């Protein structure tokens, strides 16, 4: 038997491309967030509500990731925001290469804030760095307050948690304090926002945070 | 279920190190997989077998060596294996910690069978 010693990261090709994306974002002074969640947590609704509030205050662009269809890109385009749709054709996550290719269709020099909406999935996107400044996890109260404990990798790698659909709290068995405690027990550095895209509750605080961080980047 | 994509990355790394003519001699591929890397070992093994079937790597085996999730506290220096992969120090509750292991996903070694001796 002969042995070849390797010691290589399995995802080094992705990490290398993510590093290139990150360098490009730094040169262009873009603040980039990677929006992740389970399917149906309200990522796209949150994005629509957020864009409506921040697009007057910052120049925004969006990359949409979905397994199929450009329905989400159509929703975002209605808000007059530049958007590129990535269809993964079955792929359960975005990779740095897909984002890199999508960037060719955007004029980054004119962008303060770039939002990458990942494929709805709380497992796989945790492994793939896209070059973003930080990950934002959207978690709706209907999903249960124990979710952070079930998907710790994503919550450990994230910087912000947005608890969505808080208008539904009277009708579900989720306790928002338990949910926050569970998320913070995995990662005490998380910034948490409680919002409802339907009623608008909490959106201003989240949008102010976003604008403040986008401006700091520039 | 991104283990298939991970398995493809592993095969690409093997291809970089082992020339095509020698790939049928690959017996074991040793990988290090952290307990909080987000990878399901059984699923990765299954994916590896599925994509190497009927290729020159079909007789190779993927060996997964699990790594525990361990953090070191910057405040009190304690090294701990934390429950559920929390980054908070269980000794002093500080949050300034470094992850020492448990999130990695690496190919460590490839083991090849010796070349058959030429008959003279």
């Amino acid at each position: 038997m002969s042995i070849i010693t390797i010691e290589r990261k399995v995802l080094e090709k992705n990490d290398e491309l993510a590093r290139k994306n990150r360098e490009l974002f730094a040169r262009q002074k873009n603040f980039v967030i990677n929006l992740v969640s389970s399917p149906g947590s309200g990522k796209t609704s949150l994005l629509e509500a957020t864009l409506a509030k921040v697009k007057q205050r910052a120049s925004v662009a969006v990359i949409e990731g979905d397994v199929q269809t450009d329905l989400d890109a159509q929703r975002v385009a209605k808000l007059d925001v530049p958007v590129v749709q990535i269809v993964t054709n079955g792929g359960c996550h975005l990779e740095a290469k897909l984002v890199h290719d999508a960037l060719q269709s955007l004029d980054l020099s004119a962008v303060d804030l770039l939002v990458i909406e990942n494929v709805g999935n709380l497992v796989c996107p945790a492994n793939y760095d896209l070059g973003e400044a930080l990950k934002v996890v959207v978690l709706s109260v209907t999903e249960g307050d124990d979710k952070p404990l079930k998907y710790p990798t994503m919550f450990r790698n994230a910087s912000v948690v947005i608890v969505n659909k808080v208008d539904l709290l009277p009708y579900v068995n989720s306790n928002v304090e338990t949910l926050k405690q569970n998320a913070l027990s995995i990662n005490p550095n998380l910034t948490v926002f409680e919002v409802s895209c339907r009623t608008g509750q909490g959106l201003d605080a989240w949008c102010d945070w976003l604008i403040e961080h986008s401006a700091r980047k520039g | 279920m991104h283990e298939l994509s991970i398995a493809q990355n592993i095969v690409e790394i093997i291809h970089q190190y082992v020339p095509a003519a020698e790939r049928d001699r690959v017996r074991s591929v040793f990988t290090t997989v952290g307990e909080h890397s987000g990878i399901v070992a059984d699923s990765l093994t299954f994916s590896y077998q599925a994509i190497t079937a009927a290729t020159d790597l079909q007789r190779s085996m993927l060996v997964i060596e699990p790594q525990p999730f361990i953090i070191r506290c910057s405040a009190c220096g304690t090294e701990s294996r934390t429950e559920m992969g929390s980054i908070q120090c269980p000794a002093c509750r500080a949050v300034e910690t470094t992850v020492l292991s448990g999130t990695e996903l690496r190919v460590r070694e490839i083991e090849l069978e010796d070349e058959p001796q030429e008959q003279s």
Side-chain angles (χ1 to χ4, degrees):
Chain A
M1 288 285 179
S2 59
I3 304 270
I4 305 175
T5 303
I6 294 186
E7 286 299 343
R8 292 257 302 266
K9 285 173 85 174
V10 172
L11 290 175
E12 65 177 15
K13 216 169 78 181
N14 183 76
D15 291 350
E16 173 60 20
L17 276 167
R19 194 180 58 75
K20 283 187 182 158
N21 289 348
R22 190 166 280 119
E23 281 172 5
L24 176 64
F25 298 144
R27 274 202 306 279
Q28 303 281 10
K29 296 183 165 51
N30 312 128
F31 179 62
V32 183
I33 65 169
N34 182 358
L35 200 58
V36 292
S37 81
S38 335
S41 66
K43 274 194 306 304
T44 312
S45 298
L46 176 75
L47 186 55
E48 287 172 319
T50 303
L51 291 173
K53 282 187 181 291
V54 303
K55 69 175 189 178
Q56 317 297 344
R57 302 162 69 188
S59 156
V60 193
V62 174
I63 294 178
E64 279 290 344
D66 278 294
V67 172
Q68 272 306 341
T69 80
D70 64 350
L71 293 172
D72 281 0
Q74 290 177 31
R75 282 170 66 177
V76 170
K78 283 189 186 140
L79 293 157
D80 276 330
V81 169
V83 55
V84 185
Q85 176 78 51
I86 300 174
V87 176
T88 63
N89 280 314
C92 53
H93 58 272
L94 292 181
E95 298 189 6
K97 169 81 167 67
L98 295 171
V99 171
H100 176 266
D101 294 349
L103 291 174
Q104 311 310 315
S105 315
L106 289 171
D107 176 13
L108 287 180
S109 66
V111 169
D112 302 317
L113 168 66
L114 173 66
V115 181
I116 305 172
E117 184 182 338
N118 217 313
V119 176
N121 181 340
L122 271 184
V123 182
C124 314
N127 283 92
Y128 293 84
D129 184 7
L130 305 178
E132 73 273 11
L134 44 88
K135 287 187 174 67
V136 176
V137 187
V138 185
L139 178 56
S140 58
V141 297
T142 52
E143 294 168 58
D145 48 31
D146 53 358
K147 205 143 198 183
L149 304 180
K150 294 175 173 172
Y151 299 88
T153 303
M154 189 62 93
F155 286 85
R156 193 174 49 249
N157 292 346
S159 306
V160 177
V161 173
I162 298 183
V163 183
N164 192 18
K165 309 188 191 179
V166 291
D167 54 304
L168 296 180
L169 277 170
Y171 312 105
V172 293
N173 289 326
S174 259
N175 182 314
V176 80
E177 288 310 314
T178 310
L179 188 157
K180 283 201 279 189
Q181 273 170 24
N182 285 339
L184 293 169
S185 76
I186 301 293
N187 181 356
N189 298 317
L190 286 167
T191 303
V192 184
F193 295 97
E194 296 172 36
V195 311
S196 162
C197 297
R198 249 187 89 246
T199 66
Q201 181 189 336
L203 284 173
D204 283 336
W206 152 242
C207 291
D208 287 347
W209 184 95
L210 204 49
I211 289 290
E212 188 191 317
H213 281 73
S214 310
R216 202 180 297 167
K217 194 75 190 174
Chain B
M1 247 307 282
H2 58 311
E3 280 78 1
L4 193 59
S5 141
I6 301 291
Q8 271 157 352
N9 278 277
I10 293 173
V11 168
E12 279 175 34
I13 291 174
I14 299 169
H15 283 190
Q16 283 171 33
Y17 281 85
V18 185
E22 297 176 23
R23 283 177 201 153
D24 59 347
R25 294 199 288 117
V26 175
R27 284 296 159 269
S28 305
V29 179
F30 292 91
T31 57
T32 310
V33 177
E35 65 176 336
H36 281 291
S37 64
I39 299 299
V40 181
D42 286 349
S43 172
L44 181 57
T45 311
F46 175 81
S47 300
Y48 181 82
Q49 284 168 350
I51 61 168
T52 55
T55 73
D56 41 15
L57 288 172
Q58 63 183 342
R59 292 204 295 152
S60 66
M61 188 175 70
L62 190 73
V63 181
I64 295 175
E65 297 165 339
Q67 284 291 311
F69 185 81
I70 294 173
I71 56 168
R72 183 195 289 133
C73 179
S74 309
C76 74
T78 309
E79 287 184 14
S80 337
R81 181 173 181 172
T82 61
E83 240 181 286
M84 317 247 246
S86 168
I87 57 165
Q88 184 164 40
C89 173
C92 74
R93 313 307 296 166
V95 297
E96 292 79 22
T97 56
T98 313
V99 177
L100 297 182
S101 72
T103 60
E104 59 275 83
L105 186 55
R106 301 175 70 83
V107 181
R108 193 170 62 73
E109 257 174 27
I110 300 174
E111 196 177 66
L112 282 81
E113 196 176 71
D114 289 332
E115 259 177 281
Q117 297 294 313
E118 300 243 344
Q119 299 290 320
S120 56

